[in-house]
Structures are given as structure tokens and as C-alpha cells.
Amino acid sequence: MNSGLIFGLTGIAVFAIGLFGALVMVEPLRRVLALKLCSVGAGFLLVVGAWQAPPDMPDPVPHALVITGIVVMISATAVALALIRRLHSLERASDE
Amino acid sequence: MNDLPTLDWPTAVVFAPLAGAILAFAWPRRAAGIGLASVLLTTAAVAALALRVLAEGAVVTRLGNWGAPLGIDLRADGLSTLLLAMTAGVGLFVSLGALDSYAPARADERTRRYFWPLWLLLLTGLNGAFLSTDVFNLYVMLEVIALAAVGLTVLGGGREAVRAGLEYMYASILGALLFLMGVGFVYLELGRLDFAGLIAAEPAPALTAALALMIAGLLLKTALFPLHFWLPGAHANATAPASALLSGLVVKVSLYIFLRLTQYMPLPDELLVTLMGTLGAGAILWGGIQALRAERLKLLVAWSTVVQIGLIFVAFARAGQVGLAESWKAAALLILAHAVAKAAMFLSAGRIKDEVGHDRIQDLDRSPIRPTLAQFTFALAAISLIGLPPSLGFAGKWVLMEGAMAAGYWHWVGITMIGTLLSVAYFSRVLAGFLRFDRLRTPVAEHQGWALADTAPLVLALAALSLGLVAAPILAFMEIGYPFGATP
């Protein structure tokens, strides 16, 4: 079992934990965090795939993809958090 | 072709709405004007592109002259262009209707301010996805579409809308991440992400896993039964023009990507094709029953979207694995039919709700106000969704059943018939309410019709009805550029 495989399986495991959380959690914030975990797992897998035995440089393409993915996920998280806050304030307003 | 970078139509189709979105966001007072101008510009660019595709075949643009596999290529073939035209046509009329629906007297400041940037961003994502030639680009476009679509869902700002929007957000992001995981698998296996690489690839376990992940993500995003849980709430609680865009256009992107991918990476087993059809059949039955039970008009229309998505998957599976090379055409025809008719139906349902003041189906026949034009539009759209001739819905179902019969798959014919009967039943609940005057105690009030918000859906409904007459040229156009060939 080489290190690449271990890292790759770790990425898949992190993704799976996030997937489980996103499907099972009820609390809105926890579900957002679970989705973040999914994206970390997917990104991790790509970064692992980029590694090449020295002296070869790592493949830059997956790195570029992961950076794009991070940017996308930041925006998505921001929107989700804004929606959660909005929902909270609407619910508080209707309770009063 | 010369070496100078010239403004070409595929690029214009993506960047015209993007520029409009930024301008409309930066200049909210002029948002409606900028928005409409940008939509018109995009429509013109799509028309020019369609003419070129018709004359020359598939059009390819290599952004920045990088070229595949590293650069981003935009490719417009018959199927892409058809879906671009569908988006442009539906988008244009929804925009015209929105001008009226979101007029200062009818909508609050925030709705008017944010509708146009969000819709133009959505249009950017839709057009980008239809022109993409690599799976990572598709992932990015899916996320752009998801963010804009969630924004449109919560535009009304009510508690139900925000709750449904959040649910939609979770489903949408999860779908996109499943897709991303599949993209990762593809890169690790092949070292490239473009469609040509997928076509050339030998079957491998990693690619099968990638396909499974990507399809799971797409099914969640397109709301195929039993992953449809987020759709009825999101589509029923959005404001009418937003609902029309969400139901008419947004769910079609994942369907389109599904059709593309399954041609490039064929499903490895007949059983999986049958599974897709079976899930579609589940959607037709479950969605039909829920539509029969729905108490509100917009919820009924949203459930009918679940049914139609199911029908498109039945069309995909109609002739099994050997028939896949032809079945995508039936699916694409139904995608087109549903987009036009459902946009018309959601817009008219929104008009009915606005005029009557509520959308409880049971009480529709007691209203002293009769928005006759919107009701007429609703009925015309229902004709296409039920699939009566000469509508586009009829043409789509005809092609579906023809293929199923030729392959001897009578169960798909049966489920289509059952779905048709169910749709007659649930639409009749609404249409009967439009026609019964006897339960009204007070005189019928005057209704101001012929507003832009009434005319736009009427045009769409008439288009859905009459496009069936040109189904043969549409089918021929779809095949231009041999849609499922590699990038030349």
C-alpha cells in the first residue's frame, strides 16, 4: 500500500463523511460544514493525484482546478450562511 | 479563419449576459433597461450562431487560443444551439413578463433591484454550460447556475421561500460536489477533462465510478424521483418569473449534461438504462399523485415538473441500451417542449394568483375576478404538457412511444399512457375551476387584461402549441454537427 493510495482513500473517506453529514444532519449550520467537508475531500483527492515522484514537479492542472473549486465553495458557503441568518431573523420576527 | 482574435458568436453568447449582470448590479436604477438590452443582445447572438451552425455545422471557439485539452473550448453543435435557442426564447419572454410583474407598483425595491443581475448571471451559466466541452467547466457552470438559481428562489423574501431556497441550496451544492468528485476521478484516470478524452477512453473501473458520481450529482440537481424532495417547495414558493426560469430552464441543464455524458461514456449495463427509466416511471406516478392532491395552483404546477422530468428519463430509456444512439433525440424534444410550456404555465399561474389574490385550487371558481387571458394561457400550456396534438409535447411523446414500440418495450408505452391520463386528471382540477361560474354569488368583476405580463406567457403557450408542427425540422437541426462526435 503506497502513500498515494492512502492519501487518495483519505480524500474519499473525508468526502464520504461530509456526504453522510449533509444527508443526515438537521441543524442548518452543520449541514453547511458537512458540505465543506465534501469539497475538501474532493479537492484533496485532486491534489493527491497531482503528486509526482521527485525530481518531477507536481502536475499544476489539478492545483488550478482545486483553487477554482475553493473559490466556488467560498461563494457558496457565503450564500448559504447569509440564507441561514435571514431564515433565523425571519423566524425570530414571526415568533415575537 | 484568420489568426486575429475576432469577436465570435459563442463567446458573445456567454459574455453578453455576464456584462449585463455586472452592469445591472452596479447600476440598480437602470437594472430593468440594462437587463432587457442584455437579453435582447444575447438572443441576437444566439440567432446569429444558429444561422452559422445551420450553414456550416458545428462552431468551435478556442478561448485564448489555448486549445484542448488544457484550454477552454466552446463548441456549438445542433443540440447545444437548440438548447441555447430554447433558453434565449423562453428567457426573452419571461424577461418581458418580468418587466410588468416587477413593475414599481407590484414589487418591492429589493426584488426589482436583484432580479436582473441574478437572472443575467443565471443566463451566463446556462449558456456556458450548453457550450462547454470539458467536465470541469461544466462543474463551474453548475455552481454559477446553482448560486443564481438559489438567489432567484428566495427573491420574494418570505419565510417559506427562504426555507425552500436553503433546502435547494443544500441539494444543489451537494449535487455539484458529487459531480466534482467524479471530475476528480476522470482526471486521475485520464489526465485530461475534455469530451474528446472521454470518448477516446477505454472502459475502466475508475471511469465507471466517475460516471456514477457525476450521474448521482446530476440526478439530484435535476430532481429525478426520489431525489426530487427539494423541487416542489423551491419552485412553488418563488415569485412567478423566477419559478418560470427555475422550472423551465434550470433543471434542463443537468438533463442536458446527463444526455451528453451518457453518450460519451455509455452506461455499462442494460440494467442501468432500465433503472433510469424506472426512476422516471416512479416520478410520473408519484408526481402525478402529489399533483392530484396539491391544494395550491403553483404547487400543482411544480409537481407537474417532477412528472415531466420523469417522462424525459423514460424517453431516455425507451429503447434500452441499443436505442441510446436515437433516444436522446426524444429526450431533447421533450426538454424543449417542457421548457416552453412550463414557463408559460408558471407565468400564467403567477398572474392568476396576483389577480385573484390566492392560489387555492378549491376556491378558484368562487373568485369574482376572472383573469381570463391568464386562464386561457394556462389551458394552452396544459394542452402541451398533457401532450395533445399539435403541440410540441405531443411530438415528443410520439417520438418516445414510436421508439419504445419499435424496440418492443411496451412497458414504457404503458407508463407514458398512464402519465398522460394522470396529467389530464390533475390539470382538469384547475381547468374545471376556471369554467364553473355557478358557485359565484356576486357579479363577475372587471378584469384588466392584455398587460405585458399576460401577453408574454400567451406567446410562449402558443409557441409550445404550434412548435409541434415543425418537430421534424427541429429533430433534423438537433443532429447538426453530429452532436455526440468529438471536438473536431
Side-chain angles (χ1 to χ4, degrees):
Chain A
M1 202 172 193
N2 62 12
S3 59
L5 192 62
I6 295 173
F7 282 124
L9 288 176
T10 311
I12 294 173
V14 171
F15 184 89
I17 294 170
L19 182 64
F20 177 78
L23 295 177
V24 172
M25 298 288 183
V26 182
E27 181 75 22
L29 208 54
R30 283 175 191 270
R31 292 179 77 180
V32 174
L33 290 177
L35 288 173
K36 296 286 292 175
L37 217 53
C38 277
S39 79
V40 170
F44 194 80
L45 188 75
L46 274 170
V47 172
V48 171
W51 187 82
Q52 287 170 354
D56 285 342
M57 297 291 276
D59 181 0
V61 176
H63 290 192
L65 302 185
V66 171
I67 287 176
T68 314
I70 289 172
V71 172
V72 167
M73 203 55 201
I74 286 175
S75 331
T77 312
V79 174
L81 292 179
L83 282 180
I84 291 172
R85 282 194 55 173
R86 182 98 196 137
L87 188 60
H88 268 292
S89 62
L90 284 171
E91 276 172 351
R92 206 175 315 129
S94 69
D95 285 346
E96 280 165 6
Chain B
M1 281 300 210
N2 53 24
D3 289 339
L4 289 169
T6 47
L7 178 75
D8 49 342
W9 297 119
T11 319
V13 163
V14 180
F15 284 91
L18 182 62
I22 295 167
L23 283 176
F25 183 72
W27 203 358
R29 281 158 183 271
R30 292 273 172 275
I34 294 169
L36 194 64
S38 172
V39 169
L40 283 170
L41 212 62
T42 312
T43 309
V46 169
L49 179 64
L51 287 177
R52 220 178 116 191
V53 169
L54 199 59
E56 302 172 12
V59 175
V60 182
T61 298
R62 299 185 199 291
L63 289 180
N65 256 331
W66 281 92
L70 192 61
I72 295 172
D73 284 0
L74 299 178
R75 181 170 188 267
D77 55 23
L79 180 64
S80 292
T81 313
L82 189 69
L83 288 170
L84 286 173
M86 166 193 101
T87 306
V90 171
L92 178 63
F93 284 103
V94 173
S95 301
L96 290 173
L99 277 185
D100 206 0
S101 298
Y102 294 145
R106 296 204 182 124
D108 61 9
E109 162 70 21
R110 211 185 45 192
T111 310
R112 270 183 293 133
R113 186 168 166 176
Y114 290 122
F115 172 75
W116 292 100
L118 285 170
W119 152 226
L120 291 172
L121 194 63
L122 178 68
L123 186 58
T124 311
L126 292 167
N127 288 351
F130 292 139
L131 290 168
S132 287
T133 56
D134 70 84
V135 281
F136 190 75
N137 213 24
L138 283 176
Y139 161 72
V140 175
M141 290 305 159
L142 280 176
E143 291 278 23
V144 170
I145 292 164
L147 291 180
V150 169
L152 286 173
T153 309
V154 300
L155 200 61
R159 190 162 61 139
E160 287 310 308
V162 174
R163 190 172 288 153
L166 198 55
E167 199 62 39
Y168 180 24
M169 180 93 194
Y170 291 135
S172 209
I173 298 293
L174 186 61
L177 286 172
L178 283 166
F179 192 84
L180 177 65
M181 195 68 176
V183 172
F185 275 47
V186 169
Y187 191 83
L188 295 185
E189 176 69 21
L190 298 179
R192 58 194 291 189
L193 294 163
D194 56 328
F195 287 163
L198 290 182
I199 296 166
E202 296 290 320
L207 285 182
T208 309
L211 186 64
L213 282 165
M214 289 195 279
I215 287 182
L218 292 172
L219 295 189
L220 184 58
K221 286 181 87 80
T222 202
L224 177 62
F225 174 86
L227 302 172
H228 64 281
F229 54 90
W230 56 267
L231 186 142
H235 288 190
N237 287 310
T239 50
S243 297
L245 295 172
L246 293 171
S247 232
L249 301 178
V250 173
V251 289
K252 304 297 150 47
V253 183
S254 339
L255 276 170
Y256 160 81
I257 299 173
F258 174 81
L259 289 184
R260 283 261 174 210
L261 283 183
T262 48
Q263 294 292 325
Y264 294 148
M265 306 161 82
L267 292 173
D269 201 86
E270 173 81 29
L271 204 63
L272 291 172
V273 181
T274 312
L275 177 69
M276 294 298 149
T278 311
L279 293 179
I284 290 175
L285 297 177
W286 180 247
I289 292 167
Q290 291 300 321
L292 278 174
R293 289 161 45 96
E295 285 173 4
R296 290 181 181 269
L297 183 58
K298 286 187 76 181
L299 195 61
L300 184 147
V301 180
W303 276 111
S304 129
T305 298
V306 174
V307 171
Q308 294 280 325
I309 299 287
L311 185 68
I312 291 165
F313 277 92
V314 170
F316 169 79
R318 61 169 193 172
Q321 208 172 7
V322 284
L324 284 185
E326 292 290 320
S327 294
W328 64 270
K329 286 183 226 160
L333 206 55
L334 282 168
I335 288 176
L336 187 65
H338 179 248
V340 179
K342 190 48 67 72
M345 184 173 267
F346 254 124
L347 287 177
S348 58
R351 284 293 294 157
I352 292 167
K353 188 180 175 184
D354 284 349
E355 292 295 320
V356 176
H358 66 80
D359 70 339
R360 292 185 299 280
I361 297 169
Q362 213 181 359
D363 299 335
L364 278 179
D365 52 357
R366 295 182 196 177
S367 156
I369 299 172
R370 298 204 170 257
T372 34
L373 206 55
Q375 291 175 337
F376 178 60
T377 306
F378 190 98
L380 288 182
I383 287 174
S384 182
L385 289 174
I386 290 169
L388 298 176
S391 68
L392 201 53
F394 169 76
K397 277 189 179 172
W398 179 266
V399 177
L400 188 173
M401 295 212 265
E402 207 176 34
M405 285 178 200
Y409 284 43
W410 291 93
H411 46 288
W412 299 137
V413 178
I415 199 74
T416 310
M417 298 280 196
I418 294 170
T420 306
L421 278 178
L422 274 171
S423 61
V424 172
Y426 56 75
F427 284 131
S428 299
R429 291 177 61 208
V430 181
L431 299 181
F434 292 164
L435 295 174
R436 287 189 59 186
F437 291 88
D438 50 322
R439 290 176 64 190
L440 189 65
R441 302 276 176 242
T442 50
V444 173
E446 190 76 17
H447 164 65
Q448 306 291 330
W450 292 109
L452 201 51
D454 273 328
T455 322
L458 182 63
V459 174
L460 281 174
L462 287 171
L465 210 58
S466 52
L467 277 176
L469 299 173
V470 290
I474 291 175
L475 278 168
F477 185 84
M478 239 185 251
E479 294 179 43
I480 291 178
Y482 189 51
F484 298 121
T487 314

